[in-house]
């Protein structure tokens, strides 16, 4: 799932390609993806992309009116969810993608010269990608209720948030209403660098542990942003994987201490950690993992 570093890279890339370009047409291949009806998606045609940026894990394509006038602000907001992605093309088909088709294309935005523009795609059968067209990004309830952006937090603000929560630190870090931008993969990485157990209780962290968590949050995310900067969008996924130390590396050696990276799995997700680095050697209960090791 794209998190802060990937969404930042996609936004930077799309901004460099699309900002300043007039939108010729928007095709919607999957109506289920579109969460708003007013303004209509057809109202984007004739407007100009002014900028592409990020709020939390949401991609914001901002537009201003074209020569024909219209709303002063209109934004196409995209949440890529687990398997969503953006693909720029100089050779888009002018034939609209089939609505309800089985292909990966959810939305197609024609902007600039004929053939130019981008597809918003989603792989797999579980369709969770979401798009909104709004006159104000706060009209998207999930954006209006986001916590502060993770990179905007000071160490003291993070300490306050932790002190007020009895949640496991792994859950707190990934709860977008509390802190925006971090998901399952980067929270695994942050906790590994901070040498914290995913199951640690947020309000019980010591001052030293809070500082370690704050420093790890910044170093992991900023390193990833720097590494992904300027990468082709198509290469972001593999580039993200090569930077990971524990996430999705179950059974492989921890790059810091050599211990075996372990996993805790739930019905629909799993996370990874290093016992030596993070839990004082303790192996967290996981039925599936213990079955694998028998
Ligand atoms: Zn380790």
């Amino acid at each position: 799932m794209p998190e802060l570093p990937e969404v930042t890279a996609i936004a930077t890339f799309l901004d460099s390609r699309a900002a300043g370009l007039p939108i010729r047409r928007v095709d919607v291949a999957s109506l289920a993806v579109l969460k708003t009806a007013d303004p209509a998606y057809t109202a984007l045609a004739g407007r100009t992309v002014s900028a592409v940026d990020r709020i939390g894990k949401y991609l914001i394509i901002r537009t201003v009116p074209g020569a024909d006038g219209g709303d002063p602000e209109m934004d196409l907001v995209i949440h890529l969810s687990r398997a969503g992605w953006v693909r720029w093309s100089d050779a888009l088909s002018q034939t609209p993608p089939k609505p309800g088709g089985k292909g990966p294309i959810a939305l197609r935005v024609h902007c600039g010269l004929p053939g130019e523009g981008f597809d918003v795609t989603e792989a797999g059968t579980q369709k969770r990608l979401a798009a909104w067209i709004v006159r104000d990004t706060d009209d998207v309830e999930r954006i209006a209720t986001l916590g502060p952006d993770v990179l905007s937090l000071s160490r003291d603000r993070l300490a306050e948030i932790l002190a007020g929560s009895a949640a496991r630190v792994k859950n707190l870090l990934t709860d977008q209403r509390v802190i925006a931008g971090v998901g399952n993969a980067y929270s695994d990485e942050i906790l590994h660098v901070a040498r914290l157990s995913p199951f640690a209780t947020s309000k019980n962290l010591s001052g030293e542990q809070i500082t370690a968590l704050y420093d790890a949050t910044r170093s992991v995310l900023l390193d990833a942003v720097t590494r992904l900067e300027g990468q082709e969008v198509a290469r972001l996924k593999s580039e993200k994987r090569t930077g990971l130390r524990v996430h999705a590396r179950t059974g492989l050696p921890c790059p810091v201490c050599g211990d075996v990276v372990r996993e805790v799995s739930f019905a629909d997700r799993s996370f990874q950690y290093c016992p030596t680095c993070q839990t004082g050697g303790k192996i967290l209960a996981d039925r599936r993992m213990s079955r694998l090791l028998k």
Side-chain angles (χ1 to χ4, degrees):
M1 177 197 266
E3 299 178 33
L4 181 148
E6 291 77 39
V7 181
T8 300
I10 293 170
T12 306
F13 169 80
L14 256 192
D15 186 72
S16 74
R17 288 295 183 105
L21 296 183
I23 296 175
R24 304 162 65 84
R25 199 177 80 212
V26 176
D27 298 327
V28 177
S30 162
L31 274 174
V33 161
L34 203 56
K35 304 302 176 197
T36 48
D38 175 32
Y41 70 87
T42 48
L44 286 169
R47 297 179 66 87
T48 297
V49 177
S50 53
V52 183
D53 53 31
R54 171 190 73 78
I55 301 177
K57 294 190 279 184
Y58 295 80
L59 190 64
I60 318 288
I61 296 147
R62 301 184 188 275
T63 72
V64 291
D68 298 341
D71 289 292
E73 179 180 341
M74 199 181 287
D75 309 313
L76 170 60
V77 176
I78 296 167
H79 186 250
L80 293 164
S81 194
R82 290 205 177 179
W85 210 247
V86 170
R87 192 170 60 194
W88 179 269
S89 174
D90 297 318
L92 286 181
S93 163
Q94 294 307 299
T95 314
K98 267 204 200 103
K102 289 205 167 53
I105 298 170
L107 286 178
R108 171 169 285 170
V109 178
H110 300 264
C111 54
L113 297 170
E116 280 186 336
F118 59 92
D119 284 330
V120 182
T121 64
E122 186 172 29
T125 49
Q126 255 201 333
K127 299 298 183 193
R128 303 174 67 162
L129 187 126
W132 299 257
I133 296 164
V134 288
R135 296 182 180 91
D136 183 327
T137 50
D138 271 351
D139 291 347
V140 179
E141 200 197 333
R142 282 155 65 180
I143 289 188
T145 56
L146 282 178
D149 193 83
V150 60
L151 288 179
S152 76
L153 292 176
S154 64
R155 189 253 176 225
D156 289 350
R157 183 75 189 102
L158 177 64
E160 275 172 31
I161 292 171
L162 291 162
S165 172
R168 309 275 195 197
V169 65
K170 167 84 182 175
N171 294 341
L172 178 134
L173 276 180
T174 53
D175 185 342
Q176 302 304 298
R177 294 163 302 176
V178 179
I179 298 174
V182 175
N184 195 26
Y186 287 102
S187 59
D188 278 357
E189 297 300 298
I190 288 166
L191 291 170
H192 179 250
V193 170
R195 304 180 73 88
L196 287 174
S197 166
F199 284 172
T201 303
S202 300
K203 65 180 182 186
N204 294 347
L205 295 187
S206 69
E208 209 171 298
Q209 288 175 316
I210 294 170
T211 302
L213 181 61
Y214 174 74
D215 291 345
T217 300
R218 297 194 68 80
S219 69
V220 165
L221 294 174
L222 292 173
D223 281 0
V225 167
T226 307
R227 205 175 56 247
L228 298 180
E229 216 165 33
Q231 293 282 344
E232 289 291 322
V233 167
R235 292 200 49 211
L236 288 178
K237 283 185 214 180
S238 59
E239 196 51 47
K240 173 183 178 177
R241 266 195 297 275
T242 59
L244 300 174
R245 296 169 227 224
V246 285
H247 184 74
R249 299 189 73 247
T250 307
L252 295 170
C254 165
V256 172
C257 73
D259 192 1
V260 177
V261 172
R262 301 279 172 156
E263 171 173 296
V264 175
S265 56
F266 302 94
D268 61 340
R269 70 201 169 95
S270 61
F271 66 78
Q272 286 80 30
Y273 67 100
C274 167
T276 297
C277 291
Q278 296 176 256
T279 59
K282 184 170 173 259
I283 291 170
L284 304 174
D286 180 75
R287 296 215 331 266
R288 197 168 79 186
M289 187 70 190
S290 32
R291 215 163 50 230
L292 283 176
L293 291 178
K294 257 175 204 163

